[in-house]
Amino acid sequence: MDANTLINLNVHKQLVAKSINMPAGYLDDYHQHPWHQVIFPVSGLLQSDIGDLSMVVPHNALLFIPAGTSHKSVAVTQTEFVALYLNPTAKAPFCRTLKSCLVTPFFKELVLLLLKTADELDNRAISNLLRVLNDQIKSAANYEIPLLKPTDRRILAIFEQLIEQPATQLTLVKWAQQVGASERTLSRLFAKEFNQSFSAWRQHLRLVLSLELLTTPRSIQDIALSLGFASDAAYIQAFKALFLSTPHKYRNSVLQAKTT
């Protein structure tokens, strides 16, 4: 059942919730909801376009989308996400501003609790939990990871191959030969779409892909080499520059909720 049908069947409720699975590459094109929406990936990576903003949402982040806001999402990898739909007339005074924020262990457990109990708790209990959710959204740190997936078909072909084999070391000259464009054209396209060079974009892509790998028992060195970094030191340095945290700290603090 699609979200808006679910909302229309439950207009008397404060909250409806569902879990959604998307295969890699699945596009949920532009749409909007009459209720506020929370998008939280349990696993995988989503890229969402909202107005002039395009951002990646990994499984340690969350999107709050105000009611009536047009948006689309595409699954960068196989993705499972929780969608909470919040009635604007509910007692919790949710804001009307888009926010991408960092999810703490407590925040994550709250979202999962609302998913599990949306149809079980009475109105008073739901109201109390929604007030806590509202407080968490307001106080959470902003967490925005820029656009990754291109729109041009030639660099989209590069993107799709790197998703499958991120350690691929082809130069831009070699990629140009594969996708039927000149090196100069590809350089111009990367600058236009991402305001980055090809090498900077590729590193950005590898770093974002590493977020999911850090939820596994694999060593930091193994993750670094599997993504094409020359060493674990190079990976750690690049990760810290983008995410303001080391991979080890990310694994042991942001994701500790997986073991609680």
Side-chain angles (χ1 to χ4, degrees), residues 79-140:
T79 301
E80 177 187 358
F81 70 94
V82 173
L84 304 180
Y85 303 95
L86 313 167
N87 193 330
T89 65
K91 295 179 181 179
F94 287 95
C95 66
R96 295 274 178 174
T97 305
L98 172 73
K99 186 170 184 180
S100 176
C101 53
L102 190 65
V103 175
T104 63
F106 174 78
F107 201 170
K108 174 183 176 179
E109 291 305 314
L110 176 61
V111 171
L112 296 179
L113 176 64
L114 286 166
L115 172 67
K116 294 174 186 175
T117 61
D119 295 324
E120 300 171 5
L121 298 178
D122 60 31
N123 276 336
R124 182 176 180 181
I126 290 291
S127 293
N128 290 336
L129 288 174
L130 290 183
R131 287 190 184 96
V132 178
L133 178 68
N134 186 40
D135 289 342
Q136 288 294 305
I137 293 172
K138 285 182 176 179
S139 62

Side-chain angles (χ1 to χ4, degrees), residues 8 15 18 54 65 92 102 121 124 160 164 178 182 235:
N8 289 334
L15 164 75
K18 62 189 296 190
S54 294
I65 303 175
L102 190 65
L121 298 178
R124 182 176 180 181
E160 290 172 345
E164 294 298 322
Q178 283 203 18
S182 68
Y235 166 58

Side-chain angles (χ1 to χ4, degrees), residues 218-258:
R218 295 172 65 176
S219 70
I220 300 298
Q221 182 180 43
D222 182 39
I223 290 172
L225 297 179
S226 72
L227 291 169
F229 286 92
S231 65
D232 54 344
Y235 166 58
I236 291 168
Q237 182 179 13
F239 189 98
K240 190 172 182 180
L242 180 60
F243 298 116
L244 306 179
S245 170
T246 65
H248 182 75
K249 184 178 180 182
Y250 174 92
R251 170 176 271 170
N252 289 305
S253 59
V254 178
L255 299 178
Q256 64 181 315
K258 291 181 70 69

Side-chain angles (χ1 to χ4, degrees), residues 198-211:
F198 163 69
S199 59
W201 171 82
R202 180 179 59 186
Q203 176 168 286
H204 183 99
L205 177 61
R206 288 169 171 170
L207 290 169
V208 172
L209 292 175
S210 78
L211 294 176

Side-chain angles (χ1 to χ4, degrees), residues 19-44:
S19 180
I20 299 171
N21 284 285
M22 285 185 176
Y26 182 87
L27 171 65
D28 190 12
D29 215 342
Y30 278 108
H31 62 284
Q32 56 183 283
H33 306 295
W35 289 10
H36 308 312
Q37 183 181 15
V38 167
I39 296 176
F40 171 59
V42 177
S43 63

